PDB file of all heavy atoms in Angstrom:
ATOM      1  N   GLN A   1      63.186  17.223 -14.573  1.00 91.00           N
ATOM      2  CA  GLN A   1      63.453  15.927 -15.065  1.00 91.00           C
ATOM      3  C   GLN A   1      64.568  16.028 -16.148  1.00 91.00           C
ATOM      4  O   GLN A   1      64.265  16.502 -17.302  1.00 91.00           O
ATOM      5  CB  GLN A   1      62.304  15.241 -15.668  1.00 91.00           C
ATOM      6  CG  GLN A   1      62.609  13.734 -16.126  1.00 91.00           C
ATOM      7  CD  GLN A   1      61.318  13.064 -16.490  1.00 91.00           C
ATOM      8  OE1 GLN A   1      60.205  13.551 -16.586  1.00 91.00           O
ATOM      9  NE2 GLN A   1      61.404  11.657 -16.620  1.00 91.00           N
ATOM     10  N   PRO A   2      65.799  15.670 -15.870  1.00 91.00           N
ATOM     11  CA  PRO A   2      66.869  15.710 -16.846  1.00 91.00           C
ATOM     12  C   PRO A   2      66.523  14.791 -18.013  1.00 91.00           C
ATOM     13  O   PRO A   2      65.725  13.813 -17.981  1.00 91.00           O
ATOM     14  CB  PRO A   2      68.076  15.192 -16.143  1.00 91.00           C
ATOM     15  CG  PRO A   2      67.704  15.395 -14.678  1.00 91.00           C
ATOM     16  CD  PRO A   2      66.220  15.183 -14.500  1.00 91.00           C
ATOM     17  N   ILE A   3      67.004  15.159 -19.237  1.00 90.00           N
ATOM     18  CA  ILE A   3      66.709  14.386 -20.404  1.00 90.00           C
ATOM     19  C   ILE A   3      67.289  12.902 -20.227  1.00 90.00           C
ATOM     20  O   ILE A   3      68.437  12.773 -19.980  1.00 90.00           O
ATOM     21  CB  ILE A   3      67.359  14.882 -21.675  1.00 90.00           C
ATOM     22  CG1 ILE A   3      66.682  16.340 -21.935  1.00 90.00           C
ATOM     23  CG2 ILE A   3      67.050  14.058 -22.900  1.00 90.00           C
ATOM     24  CD1 ILE A   3      67.423  17.103 -23.012  1.00 90.00           C
ATOM     25  N   GLY A   4      66.375  11.917 -20.257  1.00 90.00           N
ATOM     26  CA  GLY A   4      66.828  10.538 -20.071  1.00 90.00           C
ATOM     27  C   GLY A   4      67.024  10.179 -18.563  1.00 90.00           C
ATOM     28  O   GLY A   4      67.633   9.090 -18.341  1.00 90.00           O
ATOM     29  N   GLY A   5      66.711  11.098 -17.628  1.00 88.00           N
ATOM     30  CA  GLY A   5      66.921  10.783 -16.285  1.00 88.00           C
ATOM     31  C   GLY A   5      65.567  10.733 -15.459  1.00 88.00           C
ATOM     32  O   GLY A   5      64.467  10.863 -15.990  1.00 88.00           O
ATOM     33  N   ARG A   6      65.726  10.583 -14.145  1.00 90.00           N
ATOM     34  CA  ARG A   6      64.690  10.607 -13.285  1.00 90.00           C
ATOM     35  C   ARG A   6      64.274  11.990 -12.740  1.00 90.00           C
ATOM     36  O   ARG A   6      65.070  12.833 -12.704  1.00 90.00           O
ATOM     37  CB  ARG A   6      64.987   9.694 -12.043  1.00 90.00           C
ATOM     38  CG  ARG A   6      65.198   8.219 -12.517  1.00 90.00           C
ATOM     39  CD  ARG A   6      65.411   7.367 -11.268  1.00 90.00           C
ATOM     40  NE  ARG A   6      65.685   5.964 -11.530  1.00 90.00           N
ATOM     41  CZ  ARG A   6      65.916   5.000 -10.695  1.00 90.00           C
ATOM     42  NH1 ARG A   6      65.986   5.347  -9.391  1.00 90.00           N
ATOM     43  NH2 ARG A   6      66.126   3.732 -11.110  1.00 90.00           N
ATOM     44  N   ILE A   7      63.154  12.122 -12.232  1.00 92.00           N
ATOM     45  CA  ILE A   7      62.645  13.389 -11.650  1.00 92.00           C
ATOM     46  C   ILE A   7      63.411  13.635 -10.389  1.00 92.00           C
ATOM     47  O   ILE A   7      63.647  12.858  -9.535  1.00 92.00           O
ATOM     48  CB  ILE A   7      61.083  13.302 -11.286  1.00 92.00           C
ATOM     49  CG1 ILE A   7      60.265  13.223 -12.640  1.00 92.00           C
ATOM     50  CG2 ILE A   7      60.676  14.510 -10.452  1.00 92.00           C
ATOM     51  CD1 ILE A   7      58.814  12.948 -12.377  1.00 92.00           C
ATOM     52  N   GLU A   8      63.828  14.975 -10.334  1.00 93.00           N
ATOM     53  CA  GLU A   8      64.551  15.473  -9.085  1.00 93.00           C
ATOM     54  C   GLU A   8      63.912  16.602  -8.539  1.00 93.00           C
ATOM     55  O   GLU A   8      63.273  17.363  -9.204  1.00 93.00           O
ATOM     56  CB  GLU A   8      66.008  15.846  -9.551  1.00 93.00           C
ATOM     57  CG  GLU A   8      66.806  14.746 -10.214  1.00 93.00           C
ATOM     58  CD  GLU A   8      68.141  15.289 -10.744  1.00 93.00           C
ATOM     59  OE1 GLU A   8      68.520  16.450 -10.414  1.00 93.00           O
ATOM     60  OE2 GLU A   8      68.902  14.492 -11.496  1.00 93.00           O
ATOM     61  N   ARG A   9      63.980  16.771  -7.214  1.00 94.00           N
ATOM     62  CA  ARG A   9      63.477  17.922  -6.594  1.00 94.00           C
ATOM     63  C   ARG A   9      64.625  18.924  -6.358  1.00 94.00           C
ATOM     64  O   ARG A   9      65.732  18.643  -6.028  1.00 94.00           O
ATOM     65  CB  ARG A   9      62.863  17.536  -5.210  1.00 94.00           C
ATOM     66  CG  ARG A   9      61.588  16.827  -5.335  1.00 94.00           C
ATOM     67  CD  ARG A   9      60.864  16.923  -4.013  1.00 94.00           C
ATOM     68  NE  ARG A   9      60.395  18.261  -3.789  1.00 94.00           N
ATOM     69  CZ  ARG A   9      59.273  18.826  -4.289  1.00 94.00           C
ATOM     70  NH1 ARG A   9      58.603  18.223  -5.119  1.00 94.00           N
ATOM     71  NH2 ARG A   9      58.969  20.112  -3.914  1.00 94.00           N
ATOM     72  N   VAL A  10      64.235  20.277  -6.575  1.00 94.00           N
ATOM     73  CA  VAL A  10      65.217  21.358  -6.409  1.00 94.00           C
ATOM     74  C   VAL A  10      64.573  22.515  -5.633  1.00 94.00           C
ATOM     75  O   VAL A  10      63.326  22.734  -5.620  1.00 94.00           O
ATOM     76  CB  VAL A  10      65.653  21.852  -7.807  1.00 94.00           C
ATOM     77  CG1 VAL A  10      66.563  20.873  -8.549  1.00 94.00           C
ATOM     78  CG2 VAL A  10      64.548  22.273  -8.649  1.00 94.00           C
ATOM     79  N   ASP A  11      65.366  23.194  -4.912  1.00 95.00           N
ATOM     80  CA  ASP A  11      64.929  24.408  -4.226  1.00 95.00           C
ATOM     81  C   ASP A  11      65.592  25.595  -4.835  1.00 95.00           C
ATOM     82  O   ASP A  11      66.826  26.017  -4.479  1.00 95.00           O
ATOM     83  CB  ASP A  11      65.278  24.230  -2.735  1.00 95.00           C
ATOM     84  CG  ASP A  11      64.985  25.458  -1.827  1.00 95.00           C
ATOM     85  OD1 ASP A  11      64.203  26.245  -2.367  1.00 95.00           O
ATOM     86  OD2 ASP A  11      65.521  25.597  -0.816  1.00 95.00           O
ATOM     87  N   VAL A  12      64.975  26.271  -5.696  1.00 95.00           N
ATOM     88  CA  VAL A  12      65.440  27.237  -6.511  1.00 95.00           C
ATOM     89  C   VAL A  12      64.450  28.483  -6.620  1.00 95.00           C
ATOM     90  O   VAL A  12      63.317  28.311  -6.746  1.00 95.00           O
ATOM     91  CB  VAL A  12      65.713  26.862  -7.956  1.00 95.00           C
ATOM     92  CG1 VAL A  12      66.205  28.080  -8.771  1.00 95.00           C
ATOM     93  CG2 VAL A  12      66.865  25.724  -8.020  1.00 95.00           C
ATOM     94  N   ARG A  13      64.940  29.662  -6.438  1.00 96.00           N
ATOM     95  CA  ARG A  13      64.254  30.852  -6.690  1.00 96.00           C
ATOM     96  C   ARG A  13      64.465  31.399  -8.071  1.00 96.00           C
ATOM     97  O   ARG A  13      65.697  31.493  -8.372  1.00 96.00           O
ATOM     98  CB  ARG A  13      64.468  32.040  -5.688  1.00 96.00           C
ATOM     99  CG  ARG A  13      63.749  33.306  -5.880  1.00 96.00           C
ATOM    100  CD  ARG A  13      64.160  34.393  -4.920  1.00 96.00           C
ATOM    101  NE  ARG A  13      63.165  35.477  -4.882  1.00 96.00           N
ATOM    102  CZ  ARG A  13      63.189  36.526  -4.119  1.00 96.00           C
ATOM    103  NH1 ARG A  13      64.258  36.723  -3.321  1.00 96.00           N
ATOM    104  NH2 ARG A  13      62.302  37.466  -4.163  1.00 96.00           N
ATOM    105  N   VAL A  14      63.437  31.664  -8.832  1.00 96.00           N
ATOM    106  CA  VAL A  14      63.671  32.123 -10.208  1.00 96.00           C
ATOM    107  C   VAL A  14      63.344  33.649 -10.242  1.00 96.00           C
ATOM    108  O   VAL A  14      62.344  34.106  -9.881  1.00 96.00           O
ATOM    109  CB  VAL A  14      62.690  31.367 -11.150  1.00 96.00           C
ATOM    110  CG1 VAL A  14      62.754  31.991 -12.588  1.00 96.00           C
ATOM    111  CG2 VAL A  14      63.130  29.903 -11.202  1.00 96.00           C
ATOM    112  N   VAL A  15      64.305  34.384 -10.920  1.00 97.00           N
ATOM    113  CA  VAL A  15      64.166  35.677 -11.269  1.00 97.00           C
ATOM    114  C   VAL A  15      64.201  35.769 -12.706  1.00 97.00           C
ATOM    115  O   VAL A  15      65.268  35.384 -13.397  1.00 97.00           O
ATOM    116  CB  VAL A  15      65.191  36.662 -10.613  1.00 97.00           C
ATOM    117  CG1 VAL A  15      65.014  38.043 -11.086  1.00 97.00           C
ATOM    118  CG2 VAL A  15      65.111  36.529  -9.081  1.00 97.00           C
ATOM    119  N   ALA A  16      63.194  36.101 -13.404  1.00 97.00           N
ATOM    120  CA  ALA A  16      63.135  36.253 -14.888  1.00 97.00           C
ATOM    121  C   ALA A  16      63.144  37.654 -15.421  1.00 97.00           C
ATOM    122  O   ALA A  16      62.676  38.527 -14.722  1.00 97.00           O
ATOM    123  CB  ALA A  16      61.999  35.556 -15.512  1.00 97.00           C
ATOM    124  N   SER A  17      63.857  37.903 -16.590  1.00 96.00           N
ATOM    125  CA  SER A  17      63.936  39.210 -16.980  1.00 96.00           C
ATOM    126  C   SER A  17      63.567  39.181 -18.460  1.00 96.00           C
ATOM    127  O   SER A  17      63.740  38.240 -19.232  1.00 96.00           O
ATOM    128  CB  SER A  17      65.338  39.777 -16.844  1.00 96.00           C
ATOM    129  OG  SER A  17      66.290  39.289 -17.728  1.00 96.00           O
ATOM    130  N   THR A  18      63.019  40.342 -19.014  1.00 96.00           N
ATOM    131  CA  THR A  18      62.603  40.467 -20.419  1.00 96.00           C
ATOM    132  C   THR A  18      62.420  41.915 -20.787  1.00 96.00           C
ATOM    133  O   THR A  18      62.135  42.797 -19.995  1.00 96.00           O
ATOM    134  CB  THR A  18      61.348  39.735 -20.712  1.00 96.00           C
ATOM    135  OG1 THR A  18      60.964  39.833 -22.025  1.00 96.00           O
ATOM    136  CG2 THR A  18      60.214  40.279 -19.821  1.00 96.00           C
ATOM    137  N   HIS A  19      62.797  42.189 -22.096  1.00 94.00           N
ATOM    138  CA  HIS A  19      62.465  43.423 -22.657  1.00 94.00           C
ATOM    139  C   HIS A  19      61.151  43.438 -23.440  1.00 94.00           C
ATOM    140  O   HIS A  19      60.730  44.563 -23.880  1.00 94.00           O
ATOM    141  CB  HIS A  19      63.631  43.921 -23.562  1.00 94.00           C
ATOM    142  CG  HIS A  19      63.673  43.182 -24.782  1.00 94.00           C
ATOM    143  ND1 HIS A  19      64.205  41.950 -24.995  1.00 94.00           N
ATOM    144  CD2 HIS A  19      63.234  43.477 -26.189  1.00 94.00           C
ATOM    145  CE1 HIS A  19      64.148  41.486 -26.271  1.00 94.00           C
ATOM    146  NE2 HIS A  19      63.608  42.439 -27.004  1.00 94.00           N
ATOM    147  N   ARG A  20      60.571  42.334 -23.545  1.00 93.00           N
ATOM    148  CA  ARG A  20      59.318  42.135 -24.190  1.00 93.00           C
ATOM    149  C   ARG A  20      58.069  42.322 -23.283  1.00 93.00           C
ATOM    150  O   ARG A  20      58.151  42.247 -22.010  1.00 93.00           O
ATOM    151  CB  ARG A  20      59.209  40.894 -24.878  1.00 93.00           C
ATOM    152  CG  ARG A  20      60.256  40.483 -25.929  1.00 93.00           C
ATOM    153  CD  ARG A  20      59.874  39.168 -26.577  1.00 93.00           C
ATOM    154  NE  ARG A  20      60.720  38.851 -27.620  1.00 93.00           N
ATOM    155  CZ  ARG A  20      60.711  39.329 -28.900  1.00 93.00           C
ATOM    156  NH1 ARG A  20      59.729  40.179 -29.162  1.00 93.00           N
ATOM    157  NH2 ARG A  20      61.784  39.073 -29.789  1.00 93.00           N
ATOM    158  N   ASP A  21      56.908  42.783 -23.855  1.00 93.00           N
ATOM    159  CA  ASP A  21      55.689  42.886 -23.171  1.00 93.00           C
ATOM    160  C   ASP A  21      55.044  41.494 -23.162  1.00 93.00           C
ATOM    161  O   ASP A  21      54.523  41.003 -24.190  1.00 93.00           O
ATOM    162  CB  ASP A  21      54.723  43.863 -23.799  1.00 93.00           C
ATOM    163  CG  ASP A  21      53.436  44.081 -23.117  1.00 93.00           C
ATOM    164  OD1 ASP A  21      53.070  43.202 -22.210  1.00 93.00           O
ATOM    165  OD2 ASP A  21      52.648  44.944 -23.502  1.00 93.00           O
ATOM    166  N   LEU A  22      55.274  40.755 -22.090  1.00 94.00           N
ATOM    167  CA  LEU A  22      54.762  39.364 -21.978  1.00 94.00           C
ATOM    168  C   LEU A  22      53.364  39.170 -22.050  1.00 94.00           C
ATOM    169  O   LEU A  22      52.852  38.213 -22.605  1.00 94.00           O
ATOM    170  CB  LEU A  22      55.399  38.653 -20.789  1.00 94.00           C
ATOM    171  CG  LEU A  22      56.893  38.334 -20.716  1.00 94.00           C
ATOM    172  CD1 LEU A  22      57.145  37.340 -19.545  1.00 94.00           C
ATOM    173  CD2 LEU A  22      57.270  37.624 -22.092  1.00 94.00           C
ATOM    174  N   ALA A  23      52.592  40.123 -21.627  1.00 93.00           N
ATOM    175  CA  ALA A  23      51.105  40.154 -21.623  1.00 93.00           C
ATOM    176  C   ALA A  23      50.726  40.121 -23.140  1.00 93.00           C
ATOM    177  O   ALA A  23      49.832  39.459 -23.565  1.00 93.00           O
ATOM    178  CB  ALA A  23      50.452  41.199 -20.855  1.00 93.00           C
ATOM    179  N   ALA A  24      51.486  40.960 -23.904  1.00 94.00           N
ATOM    180  CA  ALA A  24      51.155  41.003 -25.425  1.00 94.00           C
ATOM    181  C   ALA A  24      51.577  39.727 -26.038  1.00 94.00           C
ATOM    182  O   ALA A  24      50.935  39.298 -26.998  1.00 94.00           O
ATOM    183  CB  ALA A  24      51.838  42.212 -26.059  1.00 94.00           C
ATOM    184  N   GLU A  25      52.672  39.106 -25.587  1.00 94.00           N
ATOM    185  CA  GLU A  25      53.081  37.792 -26.140  1.00 94.00           C
ATOM    186  C   GLU A  25      52.165  36.699 -25.891  1.00 94.00           C
ATOM    187  O   GLU A  25      51.921  35.842 -26.743  1.00 94.00           O
ATOM    188  CB  GLU A  25      54.461  37.478 -25.545  1.00 94.00           C
ATOM    189  CG  GLU A  25      55.542  38.469 -25.935  1.00 94.00           C
ATOM    190  CD  GLU A  25      55.865  38.359 -27.451  1.00 94.00           C
ATOM    191  OE1 GLU A  25      56.271  37.363 -27.918  1.00 94.00           O
ATOM    192  OE2 GLU A  25      55.733  39.385 -28.079  1.00 94.00           O
ATOM    193  N   VAL A  26      51.410  36.848 -24.710  1.00 95.00           N
ATOM    194  CA  VAL A  26      50.404  35.824 -24.375  1.00 95.00           C
ATOM    195  C   VAL A  26      49.321  35.945 -25.339  1.00 95.00           C
ATOM    196  O   VAL A  26      48.667  34.856 -25.781  1.00 95.00           O
ATOM    197  CB  VAL A  26      49.957  36.013 -22.881  1.00 95.00           C
ATOM    198  CG1 VAL A  26      48.719  35.207 -22.635  1.00 95.00           C
ATOM    199  CG2 VAL A  26      51.063  35.592 -21.924  1.00 95.00           C
ATOM    200  N   LYS A  27      48.753  37.174 -25.519  1.00 95.00           N
ATOM    201  CA  LYS A  27      47.707  37.354 -26.436  1.00 95.00           C
ATOM    202  C   LYS A  27      47.993  36.978 -27.827  1.00 95.00           C
ATOM    203  O   LYS A  27      47.124  36.454 -28.554  1.00 95.00           O
ATOM    204  CB  LYS A  27      47.273  38.920 -26.548  1.00 95.00           C
ATOM    205  CG  LYS A  27      46.707  39.313 -25.173  1.00 95.00           C
ATOM    206  CD  LYS A  27      46.329  40.806 -25.221  1.00 95.00           C
ATOM    207  CE  LYS A  27      45.533  41.270 -23.932  1.00 95.00           C
ATOM    208  NZ  LYS A  27      45.216  42.706 -24.056  1.00 95.00           N
ATOM    209  N   ALA A  28      49.281  37.131 -28.246  1.00 94.00           N
ATOM    210  CA  ALA A  28      49.721  36.701 -29.616  1.00 94.00           C
ATOM    211  C   ALA A  28      49.997  35.268 -29.723  1.00 94.00           C
ATOM    212  O   ALA A  28      50.257  34.709 -30.847  1.00 94.00           O
ATOM    213  CB  ALA A  28      50.895  37.537 -30.007  1.00 94.00           C
ATOM    214  N   GLY A  29      49.827  34.462 -28.534  1.00 93.00           N
ATOM    215  CA  GLY A  29      49.897  33.001 -28.656  1.00 93.00           C
ATOM    216  C   GLY A  29      51.400  32.580 -28.648  1.00 93.00           C
ATOM    217  O   GLY A  29      51.790  31.414 -28.946  1.00 93.00           O
ATOM    218  N   ARG A  30      52.411  33.519 -28.276  1.00 92.00           N
ATOM    219  CA  ARG A  30      53.758  33.111 -28.269  1.00 92.00           C
ATOM    220  C   ARG A  30      54.382  32.931 -26.907  1.00 92.00           C
ATOM    221  O   ARG A  30      55.475  32.557 -26.817  1.00 92.00           O
ATOM    222  CB  ARG A  30      54.585  34.295 -28.953  1.00 92.00           C
ATOM    223  CG  ARG A  30      54.367  34.427 -30.436  1.00 92.00           C
ATOM    224  CD  ARG A  30      55.304  35.484 -31.026  1.00 92.00           C
ATOM    225  NE  ARG A  30      55.075  36.801 -30.592  1.00 92.00           N
ATOM    226  CZ  ARG A  30      54.180  37.724 -31.185  1.00 92.00           C
ATOM    227  NH1 ARG A  30      53.676  37.407 -32.255  1.00 92.00           N
ATOM    228  NH2 ARG A  30      54.107  38.913 -30.636  1.00 92.00           N
ATOM    229  N   PHE A  31      53.467  33.011 -25.943  1.00 95.00           N
ATOM    230  CA  PHE A  31      53.931  32.777 -24.553  1.00 95.00           C
ATOM    231  C   PHE A  31      52.787  32.141 -23.762  1.00 95.00           C
ATOM    232  O   PHE A  31      51.583  32.567 -23.871  1.00 95.00           O
ATOM    233  CB  PHE A  31      54.494  33.986 -23.867  1.00 95.00           C
ATOM    234  CG  PHE A  31      55.332  33.769 -22.668  1.00 95.00           C
ATOM    235  CD1 PHE A  31      56.749  33.502 -22.946  1.00 95.00           C
ATOM    236  CD2 PHE A  31      54.926  33.634 -21.387  1.00 95.00           C
ATOM    237  CE1 PHE A  31      57.615  33.236 -21.892  1.00 95.00           C
ATOM    238  CE2 PHE A  31      55.696  33.462 -20.272  1.00 95.00           C
ATOM    239  CZ  PHE A  31      57.108  33.170 -20.581  1.00 95.00           C
ATOM    240  N   ARG A  32      52.986  31.018 -22.984  1.00 96.00           N
ATOM    241  CA  ARG A  32      51.934  30.515 -22.143  1.00 96.00           C
ATOM    242  C   ARG A  32      51.337  31.486 -21.022  1.00 96.00           C
ATOM    243  O   ARG A  32      52.146  32.027 -20.355  1.00 96.00           O
ATOM    244  CB  ARG A  32      52.395  29.241 -21.534  1.00 96.00           C
ATOM    245  CG  ARG A  32      52.635  28.046 -22.515  1.00 96.00           C
ATOM    246  CD  ARG A  32      53.232  26.864 -21.631  1.00 96.00           C
ATOM    247  NE  ARG A  32      52.167  26.491 -20.742  1.00 96.00           N
ATOM    248  CZ  ARG A  32      51.543  25.248 -20.815  1.00 96.00           C
ATOM    249  NH1 ARG A  32      51.718  24.460 -21.855  1.00 96.00           N
ATOM    250  NH2 ARG A  32      50.615  24.907 -19.909  1.00 96.00           N
ATOM    251  N   GLU A  33      50.013  31.441 -21.100  1.00 96.00           N
ATOM    252  CA  GLU A  33      49.473  32.431 -20.057  1.00 96.00           C
ATOM    253  C   GLU A  33      49.647  31.912 -18.668  1.00 96.00           C
ATOM    254  O   GLU A  33      50.011  32.735 -17.784  1.00 96.00           O
ATOM    255  CB  GLU A  33      47.912  32.465 -20.400  1.00 96.00           C
ATOM    256  CG  GLU A  33      47.322  33.471 -19.488  1.00 96.00           C
ATOM    257  CD  GLU A  33      45.749  33.559 -19.718  1.00 96.00           C
ATOM    258  OE1 GLU A  33      45.136  32.706 -20.433  1.00 96.00           O
ATOM    259  OE2 GLU A  33      45.133  34.604 -19.459  1.00 96.00           O
ATOM    260  N   ASP A  34      49.581  30.532 -18.424  1.00 95.00           N
ATOM    261  CA  ASP A  34      49.814  30.090 -16.992  1.00 95.00           C
ATOM    262  C   ASP A  34      51.259  30.299 -16.662  1.00 95.00           C
ATOM    263  O   ASP A  34      51.509  30.610 -15.388  1.00 95.00           O
ATOM    264  CB  ASP A  34      49.491  28.689 -16.877  1.00 95.00           C
ATOM    265  CG  ASP A  34      49.977  27.812 -18.066  1.00 95.00           C
ATOM    266  OD1 ASP A  34      50.737  28.321 -18.878  1.00 95.00           O
ATOM    267  OD2 ASP A  34      49.692  26.532 -18.092  1.00 95.00           O
ATOM    268  N   LEU A  35      52.115  30.234 -17.475  1.00 96.00           N
ATOM    269  CA  LEU A  35      53.583  30.470 -17.156  1.00 96.00           C
ATOM    270  C   LEU A  35      53.760  31.956 -16.819  1.00 96.00           C
ATOM    271  O   LEU A  35      54.508  32.318 -15.954  1.00 96.00           O
ATOM    272  CB  LEU A  35      54.598  30.063 -18.273  1.00 96.00           C
ATOM    273  CG  LEU A  35      56.017  30.259 -18.039  1.00 96.00           C
ATOM    274  CD1 LEU A  35      56.458  29.612 -16.745  1.00 96.00           C
ATOM    275  CD2 LEU A  35      56.834  29.808 -19.248  1.00 96.00           C
ATOM    276  N   TYR A  36      53.175  32.861 -17.712  1.00 96.00           N
ATOM    277  CA  TYR A  36      53.259  34.319 -17.381  1.00 96.00           C
ATOM    278  C   TYR A  36      52.833  34.572 -15.988  1.00 96.00           C
ATOM    279  O   TYR A  36      53.536  35.318 -15.307  1.00 96.00           O
ATOM    280  CB  TYR A  36      52.535  35.083 -18.484  1.00 96.00           C
ATOM    281  CG  TYR A  36      52.321  36.547 -18.056  1.00 96.00           C
ATOM    282  CD1 TYR A  36      53.408  37.297 -18.047  1.00 96.00           C
ATOM    283  CD2 TYR A  36      51.035  36.986 -17.814  1.00 96.00           C
ATOM    284  CE1 TYR A  36      53.317  38.688 -17.733  1.00 96.00           C
ATOM    285  CE2 TYR A  36      50.891  38.333 -17.512  1.00 96.00           C
ATOM    286  CZ  TYR A  36      51.981  39.270 -17.474  1.00 96.00           C
ATOM    287  OH  TYR A  36      51.816  40.543 -17.110  1.00 96.00           O
ATOM    288  N   TYR A  37      51.739  34.142 -15.652  1.00 95.00           N
ATOM    289  CA  TYR A  37      51.121  34.395 -14.351  1.00 95.00           C
ATOM    290  C   TYR A  37      51.914  33.764 -13.214  1.00 95.00           C
ATOM    291  O   TYR A  37      52.067  34.413 -12.057  1.00 95.00           O
ATOM    292  CB  TYR A  37      49.728  34.080 -14.145  1.00 95.00           C
ATOM    293  CG  TYR A  37      48.810  34.961 -14.892  1.00 95.00           C
ATOM    294  CD1 TYR A  37      47.973  34.403 -16.055  1.00 95.00           C
ATOM    295  CD2 TYR A  37      48.707  36.306 -14.671  1.00 95.00           C
ATOM    296  CE1 TYR A  37      47.181  35.242 -16.746  1.00 95.00           C
ATOM    297  CE2 TYR A  37      47.828  37.083 -15.469  1.00 95.00           C
ATOM    298  CZ  TYR A  37      47.143  36.612 -16.496  1.00 95.00           C
ATOM    299  OH  TYR A  37      46.275  37.409 -17.217  1.00 95.00           O
ATOM    300  N   ARG A  38      52.598  32.647 -13.490  1.00 95.00           N
ATOM    301  CA  ARG A  38      53.549  32.180 -12.522  1.00 95.00           C
ATOM    302  C   ARG A  38      54.880  32.918 -12.394  1.00 95.00           C
ATOM    303  O   ARG A  38      55.411  32.826 -11.236  1.00 95.00           O
ATOM    304  CB  ARG A  38      53.765  30.705 -12.842  1.00 95.00           C
ATOM    305  CG  ARG A  38      54.540  29.846 -11.782  1.00 95.00           C
ATOM    306  CD  ARG A  38      53.630  29.637 -10.650  1.00 95.00           C
ATOM    307  NE  ARG A  38      54.278  29.057  -9.435  1.00 95.00           N
ATOM    308  CZ  ARG A  38      55.191  29.594  -8.629  1.00 95.00           C
ATOM    309  NH1 ARG A  38      55.334  30.851  -8.772  1.00 95.00           N
ATOM    310  NH2 ARG A  38      55.662  28.819  -7.677  1.00 95.00           N
ATOM    311  N   LEU A  39      55.262  33.464 -13.436  1.00 95.00           N
ATOM    312  CA  LEU A  39      56.554  34.178 -13.305  1.00 95.00           C
ATOM    313  C   LEU A  39      56.343  35.547 -12.693  1.00 95.00           C
ATOM    314  O   LEU A  39      57.179  36.045 -11.917  1.00 95.00           O
ATOM    315  CB  LEU A  39      57.039  34.323 -14.729  1.00 95.00           C
ATOM    316  CG  LEU A  39      57.744  33.193 -15.376  1.00 95.00           C
ATOM    317  CD1 LEU A  39      58.016  33.474 -16.869  1.00 95.00           C
ATOM    318  CD2 LEU A  39      58.956  32.794 -14.665  1.00 95.00           C
ATOM    319  N   ALA A  40      55.172  36.162 -13.044  1.00 94.00           N
ATOM    320  CA  ALA A  40      54.955  37.524 -12.709  1.00 94.00           C
ATOM    321  C   ALA A  40      54.207  37.657 -11.240  1.00 94.00           C
ATOM    322  O   ALA A  40      53.301  38.455 -11.063  1.00 94.00           O
ATOM    323  CB  ALA A  40      54.080  38.295 -13.772  1.00 94.00           C
ATOM    324  N   VAL A  41      54.716  36.883 -10.303  1.00 94.00           N
ATOM    325  CA  VAL A  41      54.173  37.025  -8.935  1.00 94.00           C
ATOM    326  C   VAL A  41      54.442  38.365  -8.430  1.00 94.00           C
ATOM    327  O   VAL A  41      53.699  39.035  -7.857  1.00 94.00           O
ATOM    328  CB  VAL A  41      54.778  35.915  -8.108  1.00 94.00           C
ATOM    329  CG1 VAL A  41      54.335  36.096  -6.631  1.00 94.00           C
ATOM    330  CG2 VAL A  41      54.473  34.490  -8.511  1.00 94.00           C
ATOM    331  N   VAL A  42      55.646  38.921  -8.662  1.00 94.00           N
ATOM    332  CA  VAL A  42      56.163  40.255  -8.496  1.00 94.00           C
ATOM    333  C   VAL A  42      56.776  40.753  -9.618  1.00 94.00           C
ATOM    334  O   VAL A  42      57.628  40.065 -10.213  1.00 94.00           O
ATOM    335  CB  VAL A  42      57.043  40.290  -7.247  1.00 94.00           C
ATOM    336  CG1 VAL A  42      57.559  41.702  -7.052  1.00 94.00           C
ATOM    337  CG2 VAL A  42      56.484  39.749  -5.999  1.00 94.00           C
TER     338      VAL A  42
END
């Protein structure tokens, strides 16, 4: 949903990268657990 706009559907594959330990960031409350598991499918 663009800011001030309507909901749109997109067909996008996401590849995320990080130098951080996201599992540790989740425990520290700095990263959403549900988002972490959704990103780390592979």
Side-chain angles (χ1 to χ4, degrees):
Q1 185 169 15
I3 300 173
R6 297 180 178 181
I7 293 176
E8 303 174 9
R9 291 201 61 81
V10 290
D11 176 17
V12 175
R13 181 188 194 172
V14 169
V15 178
S17 70
T18 181
H19 71 281
R20 295 187 180 277
D21 182 348
L22 287 192
E25 294 294 296
V26 169
K27 289 182 179 179
R30 292 188 292 267
F31 202 85
R32 288 180 62 110
E33 185 175 22
D34 48 2
L35 178 57
Y36 167 64
Y37 289 120
R38 189 64 185 80
L39 288 168
V41 177
V42 174

